[in-house]
Amino acid sequence: MRPHVELIHENDYVWHAAELPGSEGRASERRLSVDEEDGSSSLRVDFHTRWGRGAGIHHATTEYYVMEGSMTYGDRTIGKGGYVFAPKGVPTDAITFAEGTKILHYREYGDAGFDPVDSLAAPRWADAREDVIVIDTEAMQYDAVPNPGPMPGMFIKYLHVDPVTGFYTRIVHAQEGWADHRLAFHPCYEESYSLQGKMEYNFGDLDEGTYFFRPARVKHGHFSSMEGGFTMFLRSDGELLNWYTQNEWVRWGGQAVNWGPGGTRMTFSQSSHDLGGDDWRSDKGKQYLADALNFQAQQGKHDAEYVQHGTGSDRSLVALAKMLDAARLQGGHDSDAHGHTHDHDHDHGHTHDHDNGHDPHHIHGENHNEPWSRGHAPDYSELGLPPARDLEHPDERTDEHAHNWGAGRPHKEGDRIPAPIISSLPVRSRSAGRWDGDGM
């Protein structure tokens, strides 16, 4: 499995000698994300000399994207924007990179292994699929994204789409002012490297050289594309369905047992409502989010009002109040489990001694009227919450990915939408010197 890497600038990664077997030349790599179970990896590679290797078969489905410099595949040379997709187990032609070239390099479902072959007529692996793709992405035209969010202004170049798994690689551009005020999660993983511009969002600023790898179902959002627009190289290991929620709340706390000088207790208690606020997001970015909400309304589409984290009503407290109301309504504060009537509202610490077969030492605590204490599950449908047993994917802990909550799974229309994974704090990027986001 790959860990959740959220908004770390590539300058915060150390350089390693590039793991590119069977080659001639010198190169270094920054390991943006690595799956230590199967060898999959996302890399930033710099070539310090002319580098190359001959025809061969990759042990992983492999992608190369030229950010700066040039690449030659077979007899075709492509500069900035050159892209090669080399399927696992399929013979590929010789490839070289000019000195000083900088690329993004991806390996999926396998490690860095490479078997040289005499020619492209060498046999494929038995389970190999698809063919090599070579594209000059700079020569491609952008297409308007069919579903760009709540407003137009997002464009895409499709580089590769796997017809079986739905895995796809693309370059996405959001024009200045494009925004999405909703929070989303997906059934697949999503990773991005920022190529140009700036995007504000809840985990921080996406600017040039910024990377994230977000496992399936991790919530994210509140996007605002800033001056000059924003461009990213984006990959997903399945169809990128968008599931939305808004105005999240998560409350947590604890009783601190830490003591300062003189026996002073050092306490803490914090909820997600307290995180962030709107100080870090620019006024223009906040206006773009409001524009997205207004555009939805103008289109007559159903939506919920956008509220920036840490502002407005604390929805966690509102939800807790609703839960207590629901418990009282269903449990009936008028009577307890023994039929005794109570027309008062206070904590109970007394015992009732009965001869009717009930436990004579039954104690009524402050929550004695809660229906779940008597075997009844409260109905929280008013809060939009399904029963707890329905919150997980049906295969969550039984399939081959049971160890990895963030593993993507195919989703068919009509399937139950699984619960999101909440990530409460973003990663601070040291080189940029800022923690811009408020998480979920």
Side-chain angles (χ1 to χ4, degrees):
M1 61 179 289
R2 295 208 215 187
H4 181 191
V5 178
E6 192 72 56
L7 284 212
I8 187 166
H9 197 279
E10 74 153 270
N11 290 341
D12 288 341
Y13 288 94
V14 300
W15 287 105
H16 302 267
E19 188 179 6
L20 299 166
S23 62
E24 295 183 1
R26 190 164 56 86
S28 298
E29 66 185 23
R30 280 174 163 158
R31 297 167 187 168
L32 306 177
S33 174
V34 176
D35 186 328
E36 293 290 354
E37 291 181 325
D38 68 5
S40 298
S41 56
S42 302
L43 312 167
R44 256 282 294 115
V45 180
D46 281 7
F47 296 98
H48 309 301
T49 65
R50 183 180 182 276
W51 178 96
R53 64 182 173 194
I57 294 177
H58 296 85
H59 290 193
T61 294
T62 302
E63 294 172 280
Y64 304 91
Y65 175 77
V66 178
M67 298 172 54
E68 182 180 316
S70 66
M71 166 183 64
T72 300
Y73 179 83
D75 57 2
R76 182 179 179 184
T77 299
I78 312 175
K80 179 183 177 182
Y83 172 79
V84 169
F85 170 80
K88 178 178 181 177
V90 173
T92 60
D93 213 335
I95 188 169
T96 61
F97 293 94
E99 179 180 347
T101 297
K102 299 179 180 181
I103 71 168
L104 294 173
H105 179 43
Y106 301 93
R107 296 191 290 261
E108 205 71 40
Y109 312 126
D111 58 24
F114 182 82
D115 299 331
V117 298
D118 294 331
S119 74
L120 298 183
R124 295 175 167 228
W125 289 4
D127 58 349
R129 295 189 295 104
E130 302 189 87
D131 296 306
V132 175
I133 298 172
V134 183
I135 300 174
D136 179 359
T137 67
E138 292 287 289
M140 296 177 68
Q141 297 294 316
Y142 276 107
D143 296 320
V145 174
N147 183 20
M151 62 193 308
M154 180 170 280
F155 305 91
I156 192 167
K157 294 180 181 180
Y158 293 97
L159 309 187
H160 166 256
V161 181
D162 189 313
V164 175
T165 66
F167 194 119
Y168 74 118
T169 302
R170 65 273 195 207
I171 296 173
V172 175
H173 177 76
Q175 68 184 24
E176 180 178 338
W178 178 89
D180 194 337
H181 58 288
R182 302 167 297 183
L183 294 172
F185 61 110
H186 316 296
C188 56
Y189 83 53
E190 186 178 29
E191 72 170 333
S192 166
Y193 183 94
S194 303
L195 299 173
Q196 169 271 326
K198 177 181 175 181
M199 179 87 79
E200 291 182 353
Y201 94 127
N202 66 302
F203 281 118
D205 289 343
L206 289 163
D207 45 22
E208 187 174 337
T210 304
Y211 173 81
F212 67 73
F213 181 94
R214 190 184 303 120
R217 296 168 48 195
V218 173
K219 292 196 61 58
H220 57 284
H222 298 165
F223 292 102
S224 302
S225 182
M226 306 309 291
E227 292 82 0
F230 172 75
T231 308
M232 58 183 167
F233 194 91
L234 197 63
R235 302 172 76 243
S236 297
D237 67 340
E239 184 180 0
L240 191 72
L241 300 176
N242 292 310
W243 298 323
Y244 295 107
T245 61
Q246 288 175 229
N247 306 326
E248 268 70 14
W249 53 265
V250 176
R251 177 161 288 276
W252 69 273
Q255 182 179 9
V257 291
N258 308 295
W259 300 87
T264 303
R265 176 176 285 192
M266 301 168 65
T267 61
F268 69 93
S269 182
Q270 185 180 45
S271 84
S272 67
H273 182 81
D274 304 320
L275 297 174
D278 60 0
D279 293 339
W280 68 270
R281 194 182 287 271
S282 69
D283 290 340
K284 183 174 288 187
K286 286 183 280 188
Q287 182 59 54
Y288 290 157
L289 291 170
D291 292 344
L293 178 63
N294 292 335
F295 186 86
Q296 283 279 83
Q298 293 168 8
Q299 301 300 305
K301 296 182 179 179
H302 297 291
D303 203 357
E305 183 179 357
Y306 159 75
V307 178
Q308 174 65 31
H309 285 275
T311 64
S313 301
D314 188 336
R315 293 173 181 269
S316 64
L317 295 180
V318 174
L320 287 170
K322 288 183 176 180
M323 287 182 182
L324 291 174
D325 288 344
R328 288 192 179 97
L329 287 172
Q330 294 180 73
H333 192 66
D334 293 338
S335 62
D336 61 20
H338 308 291
H340 295 290
T341 299
H342 301 276
D343 56 3
H344 51 278
D345 185 14
H346 65 263
D347 294 347
H348 298 279
H350 54 276
T351 62
H352 294 271
D353 197 357
H354 303 281
D355 297 324
N356 57 4
H358 294 290
D359 181 359
H361 302 293
H362 179 81
I363 296 185
H364 293 273
E366 63 177 357
N367 294 322
H368 77 279
N369 63 314
E370 293 179 349
W372 55 86
S373 67
R374 300 196 296 276
H376 302 289
D379 178 13
Y380 295 147
S381 58
E382 181 184 358
L383 305 179
L385 298 176
R389 64 180 179 276
D390 292 338
L391 289 177
E392 300 296 346
H393 189 284
D395 298 330
E396 186 64 62
R397 291 182 174 84
T398 58
D399 68 2
E400 61 179 331
H401 300 297
H403 68 291
N404 182 4
W405 280 34
R409 292 171 172 82
H411 186 86
K412 303 187 299 295
E413 186 175 354
D415 283 355
R416 182 172 55 214
I417 296 176
I421 296 173
I422 304 299
S423 183
S424 60
L425 294 175
V427 172
R428 181 185 177 112
S429 188
R430 183 179 59 207
S431 64
R434 73 331 189 214
W435 171 18
D436 290 343
D438 57 0
M440 280 294 122

